[in-house]
Amino acid sequence: MSDYAVRIEGLGKRYRVGQLRGPRTLGEDLARLLRLPFDRNSTPGATRDDSTVWALRDVTLEVRQAEVVGIIGRNGAGKSTLLKVLSRITAPTEGWARIEGRVGSLLEAGTGFHSELTGRENIYMSGAILGMRKAEIKRKFDQIVAFADIGPFLDTPVKRYSSGMQVRLGFAVAAHLEPDVLIMDEVLAVGDAEFQRKCLGRIEDVSRSDGRTVLFVSHNMDAVQRLCSRAILLENGRIVSEGETAGVVSKYLAREKAVSSARAWIDLSTVDREGSGVVRTTRVRYWSDLDQVGARPYPDGPLTVSLTLAATAPCTISSLAIGLYDVQGTKLVNADIAAVGRSLQLLPGEHEITLRIPELHLNPGVYLMGFWLAGPLGAVYDYVAAGLELEVVAYQAGGLQRAPADDGRVTCHLEVLVAD
């Protein structure tokens, strides 16, 4: 067997965009039919008014056996197209790709489900579509049901399942494939946080314990750095960076800084809020001091937040707080001017206030930022529970590092004391 599980050479995929119009005359139709043998892109009975776009162009790549490779890039970069070509869903326009061994593709959780069939029946049908033999499904049936956590509803038609239950069942079936190469596209973009952690653990088991090759597409940089030893950055259908995961993620985030919310003003005028409205937070922007990661915050690094406050009357702000929450809504950070003995006196109009957290002790991940404005005696002026999302990236002294392989959210400094 070759040392390489996947080999790609000069791969390209071209799509046509535009419209196909029906013929205007019989003569045009006959002329097109005569040209058809010499134009493989022609469609009988239609005239073309379109152009082409290359979703992939000149992609050359080698992936070793038992290697876990992350494929990252902006929307439209060609990531999903590459996986579809490798999964033989679509054929390449040029070049070739060769995969050693059995391939399992998880491009969408729930592939092959039928809403009228029960969960039990859909396990067998979806497993067969994904390439599992009946004996293999039967042997793993109890593991699939336990992973999906749908035991009491196993013989209920899937149409009565919630969307979350369907996602759990779909991933559970696909996660118990035994391919030599597992291809996964944004499988962590669905499901609740607990289920996503469960999925991450399963992917780690498949890649590390079972020694299978994994191609993993995700916009979750935390998951990419946790799972992948190597990464590929695609841009406009071409590979622009390849190598150790941390370095490639660093380049991706640096390229993304122009579209990142860091340093850009974000309008909060339409978000849900509570309070009297005497003064409100109307805009916010945030940044760290590190351009290498697009000014996004990183563990133990600084976080600076600027707020635009709009006051309708003279007021005293005795409590102005920034709150950071996890995706389940648990508050992890509360930074309040009251804690440092400060207050603000505002006149009617707009005011810009800048606050700085010198060290943000959060591990890499996505968090929610909220704001609290209150006056003397606790009178609430404005409360925004989740004004925006921000991503803490996995940067440490010396450069980007692989994210810690745990589910902790808070990072702490540690001193090692050795006793004789």
Side-chain angles (χ1 to χ4, degrees):
M1 182 179 290
S2 169
D3 290 338
Y4 293 97
V6 180
R7 301 188 70 179
I8 303 170
E9 183 70 37
L11 194 68
K13 178 62 182 179
R14 180 179 63 186
Y15 291 104
R16 293 197 173 274
V17 295
Q19 297 181 350
L20 291 174
R21 298 188 314 236
R24 296 179 182 176
T25 66
L26 178 62
E28 290 176 346
D29 196 12
L30 292 174
R32 186 168 184 78
L33 288 173
L34 291 174
R35 292 196 305 269
L36 184 61
F38 308 100
D39 185 0
R40 66 173 182 169
N41 294 309
S42 295
T43 301
T47 58
R48 199 166 56 241
D49 179 20
D50 57 5
S51 59
T52 61
V53 58
W54 287 91
L56 294 173
R57 196 70 191 267
D58 195 27
V59 174
T60 299
L61 177 65
E62 292 180 330
V63 180
R64 292 186 176 276
Q65 299 282 351
E67 190 175 17
V68 184
V69 176
I71 302 173
I72 62 177
R74 297 179 60 185
N75 290 331
K79 305 183 299 297
S80 295
T81 300
L82 176 59
L83 298 194
K84 287 178 181 178
V85 171
L86 295 178
S87 302
R88 299 177 183 173
I89 294 173
T90 186
T93 305
E94 61 183 19
W96 55 268
R98 181 176 296 122
I99 299 180
E100 298 285 345
R102 184 182 179 190
V103 180
S105 299
L106 181 52
L107 306 185
E108 182 178 352
T111 299
F113 276 14
H114 192 293
S115 61
E116 297 295 335
L117 299 181
T118 66
R120 183 186 303 273
E121 294 165 335
N122 271 298
I123 289 174
Y124 280 94
M125 184 172 70
S126 178
I129 290 174
L130 291 172
M132 299 173 71
R133 300 177 181 86
K134 185 176 181 179
E136 183 181 355
I137 300 172
K138 188 174 182 180
R139 175 165 51 87
K140 296 183 175 181
F141 186 85
D142 291 341
Q143 298 175 43
I144 292 171
V145 174
F147 189 95
D149 193 23
I150 61 159
F153 309 98
L154 186 59
D155 294 307
T156 301
V158 165
K159 67 181 180 181
R160 305 193 189 282
Y161 285 15
S162 68
S163 57
M165 291 170 64
Q166 293 184 37
V167 166
R168 292 205 305 270
L169 183 58
F171 185 90
V173 175
H176 287 81
L177 286 168
E178 290 186 352
D180 299 295
V181 179
L182 182 58
I183 297 173
M184 315 184 81
D185 187 3
E186 283 294 357
V187 295
L188 300 180
V190 292
D192 56 32
E194 181 181 354
F195 181 69
Q196 290 184 18
R197 288 195 296 270
K198 200 172 182 178
C199 293
L200 278 172
R202 179 59 187 171
I203 297 170
E204 286 183 320
D205 290 343
V206 168
S207 60
R208 297 176 185 175
S209 303
D210 300 344
R212 307 188 191 283
T213 305
V214 178
L215 299 181
F216 180 65
V217 165
S218 180
H219 289 286
N220 185 332
M221 294 301 103
D222 185 20
V224 170
Q225 292 184 94
R226 170 175 171 173
L227 295 172
C228 304
S229 58
R230 187 159 67 97
I232 309 295
L233 175 58
L234 287 177
E235 190 171 286
N236 298 323
R238 297 178 183 269
I239 294 178
V240 296
S241 183
E242 175 184 354
E244 195 271 331
T245 303
V248 175
V249 169
S250 176
K251 292 179 181 178
Y252 168 65
L253 294 176
R255 287 172 177 264
E256 286 290 282
K257 67 180 181 181
V259 296
S260 169
S261 58
R263 285 205 177 102
W265 284 106
I266 300 168
D267 183 15
L268 298 178
S269 60
T270 60
V271 301
D272 293 335
R273 64 206 321 146
E274 299 175 12
S276 66
V278 172
V279 58
R280 286 189 170 187
T281 306
T282 58
R283 296 192 308 165
V284 61
R285 61 176 179 167
Y286 68 91
W287 65 92
S288 72
D289 295 336
L290 198 65
D291 287 335
Q292 290 171 262
V293 292
R296 298 181 187 184
Y298 53 93
D300 303 329
L303 174 63
T304 304
V305 180
S306 281
L307 305 171
T308 298
L309 307 181
T312 60
C315 60
T316 298
I317 297 179
S318 56
S319 175
L320 190 165
I322 298 170
L324 295 177
Y325 307 78
D326 63 17
V327 292
Q328 288 81 35
T330 302
K331 182 181 281 190
L332 304 175
V333 173
N334 186 66
D336 194 336
I337 64 172
V340 293
R342 294 290 303 273
S343 63
L344 300 174
Q345 302 292 330
L346 300 185
L347 296 174
E350 286 196 345
H351 308 267
E352 184 175 325
I353 308 298
T354 300
L355 307 173
R356 179 180 173 87
I357 300 173
E359 294 182 352
L360 184 66
H361 298 299
L362 291 179
N363 276 327
V366 176
Y367 300 89
L368 303 176
M369 183 186 292
F371 312 96
W372 168 272
L373 299 174
L377 304 178
V380 179
Y381 296 146
D382 192 31
Y383 172 48
V384 178
L388 66 137
E389 288 186 354
L390 79 164
E391 181 184 16
V392 176
V393 296
Y395 181 88
Q396 296 174 5
L400 278 163
Q401 308 290 330
R402 290 192 69 184
D406 58 52
D407 296 320
R409 287 302 184 187
V410 178
T411 176
C412 298
H413 294 298
L414 178 67
E415 294 182 358
V416 180
L417 305 177
V418 180
D420 294 332

